[in-house]
């Protein structure tokens, strides 16, 4: 097991488009274990492979308080069931320390494959629906800050760039 380095905004690698997984291999299963370890360590509730610089369509998530509901989404696709939007405060392990209200589709159907290569379907509402949309955005090179005004996004970018400069100097 390993804790992986999480890329932070504005790292250009967060903009890469993830490729579908053709066959789920033992290497993928090991990567998924490391993604869970990395997410739980942070701690976070969702992590897309893009955030650890692996550009394949893999997401891990656990919305429980006690690590009891690990979910894996490989090659996820989304169908909107209810076009209504809901606003929720979002954060991101790749944008540490910043939280903003974002509007997302309220009710959707997810089709995905699990770590054993088995296809499944899941109806999502509330935090689950928000989180899967946030993580699927990562696979498409998109971040929640992209929904903010240029002014807000630039302010976040400058603050993180400054923190990165300080961290690099202290390394
Ligand atoms: C995405 O985000 C999400 O800023 C997952 O300093 C979040 O796990 C979807 C985290 C909220 C829907 C609602 C963020 C940890 C974790 C930080 C996360 C931080 C430490 C974010
Ligand atoms: Co994120």
């Amino acid at each position: 097991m390993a804790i992986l380095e999480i890329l932070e905004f504005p790292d250009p690698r967060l903009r890469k488009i993830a490729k579908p997984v053709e066959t789920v291999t033992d290497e993928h299963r090991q990567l998924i274990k490391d993604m869970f370890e990395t997410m739980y360590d942070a701690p976070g509730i969702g992590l897309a492979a893009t955030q650890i610089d692996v550009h394949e369509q893999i997401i891990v998530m656990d919305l429980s308080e006690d690590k009891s509901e690990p979910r894996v989404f490989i090659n996820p696709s989304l169908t909107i069931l209810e076009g209504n939007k809901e606003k929720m405060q979002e954060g991101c392990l790749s944008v540490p320390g910043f939280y903003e209200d974002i509007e997302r589709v309220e009710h959707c159907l997810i089709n995905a494959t699990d770590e054993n290569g088995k296809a499944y379907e899941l109806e999502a509402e509330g935090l689950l629906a928000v989180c899967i949309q946030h993580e699927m955005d990562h696979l498409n090179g998109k971040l929640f800050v992209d929904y903010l005004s240029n002014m807000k996004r630039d302010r976040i970018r400058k603050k993180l760039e400054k923190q990165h400069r300080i961290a690099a100097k202290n390394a």
Side-chain angles (χ1 to χ4, degrees):
M1 300 261 276
I3 290 171
L4 309 167
E5 187 194 336
I6 299 175
L7 303 179
E8 291 187 7
F9 178 66
D11 193 308
R13 292 170 290 181
L14 288 168
R15 300 308 185 178
K16 291 194 185 183
I17 309 292
K19 292 190 170 62
V21 174
E22 276 189 29
T23 314
V24 185
T25 63
D26 285 342
E27 283 71 34
H28 290 112
R29 282 182 277 272
Q30 184 56 52
L31 176 75
I32 287 164
K33 278 186 192 163
D34 291 341
M35 286 174 68
F36 273 115
E37 194 181 7
T38 303
M39 180 185 77
Y40 287 136
D41 176 71
I45 58 172
L47 183 71
T50 309
Q51 294 176 273
I52 50 146
D53 203 22
V54 173
H55 303 283
E56 295 189 83
Q57 294 178 15
I58 304 171
I59 290 164
V60 299
M61 193 183 295
D62 192 335
L63 305 180
S64 74
E65 303 263 295
D66 55 355
K67 308 183 181 185
S68 62
E69 289 165 25
R71 296 177 192 275
V72 176
F73 301 88
I74 299 171
N75 302 340
S77 65
L78 180 149
T79 308
I80 296 172
L81 294 178
E82 177 74 66
N84 288 347
K85 299 278 181 79
E86 74 181 319
K87 211 182 246 179
M88 202 181 277
Q89 193 177 63
E90 294 188 21
C92 180
L93 290 170
S94 295
V95 191
F98 296 89
Y99 305 87
E100 296 286 346
D101 277 346
I102 306 291
E103 276 194 352
R104 304 274 188 186
V105 166
E106 200 172 276
H107 190 189
C108 57
L109 182 72
I110 307 299
N111 282 273
T113 296
D114 70 13
E115 66 277 21
N116 299 312
K118 192 173 181 303
Y120 71 97
E121 210 172 63
L122 177 70
E123 216 180 301
E125 289 182 278
L127 181 60
L128 177 60
V130 170
C131 199
I132 190 69
Q133 289 171 73
H134 174 114
E135 301 307 334
M136 285 177 70
D137 270 356
H138 277 302
L139 302 180
N140 287 312
K142 194 163 172 121
L143 298 167
F144 84 91
V145 296
D146 298 347
Y147 297 101
L148 305 175
S149 68
N150 291 339
M151 207 175 73
K152 269 192 175 174
R153 186 171 52 258
D154 274 8
R155 200 154 52 207
I156 293 171
R157 179 176 55 76
K158 289 198 174 103
K159 284 184 183 165
L160 283 173
E161 281 173 342
K162 185 174 175 186
Q163 284 180 26
H164 296 158
R165 277 197 303 276
I166 293 166
K169 207 165 74 183
N170 292 338

